[in-house]
Amino acid sequence: MRTHDQIIADAGGPMAVKKQLALTKPIHTVRSWSARKSIPAEYWHGFSVKGLATLEELAEAAALRLAANDDTRSSEAA
């Protein structure tokens, strides 16, 4: 399964995503999604419509990221 940053990379990188989705946001916004490995849910439909990822794939990647963050926090508290 691909992570959100892998989905962006497979789409050609942040600039290609910005162009394909016709985003009015600055390129730095898409770069930050890649760096955080997190695409905001309000953009998932665009990724799906353009064939860059399925909604299921985006949701699975988000769930795994959240689970990994929860594991890190719980181990730090121990």
Side-chain angles (χ1 to χ4, degrees):
M1 178 185 50
R2 299 184 299 166
T3 61
H4 284 178
D5 64 315
Q6 290 169 327
I7 291 168
I8 291 169
D10 290 348
M15 184 59 77
V17 168
K18 179 177 170 39
K19 288 180 181 178
Q20 289 183 55
L21 299 182
L23 298 175
T24 58
K25 303 280 185 187
I27 187 62
H28 304 295
T29 300
V30 183
R31 286 184 184 139
S32 71
W33 298 346
S34 186
R36 287 191 323 258
K37 299 182 180 184
S38 179
I39 299 168
E42 63 261 28
Y43 298 98
W44 291 8
H45 178 74
F47 276 80
S48 177
V49 167
K50 292 295 182 177
L52 303 175
T54 65
L55 294 175
E56 292 81 11
E57 184 177 26
L58 290 159
E60 287 173 1
L64 282 178
R65 181 176 177 272
L66 289 174
N69 286 344
D70 286 347
D71 288 346
T72 302
R73 289 189 187 134
S74 64
S75 66
E76 288 176 356

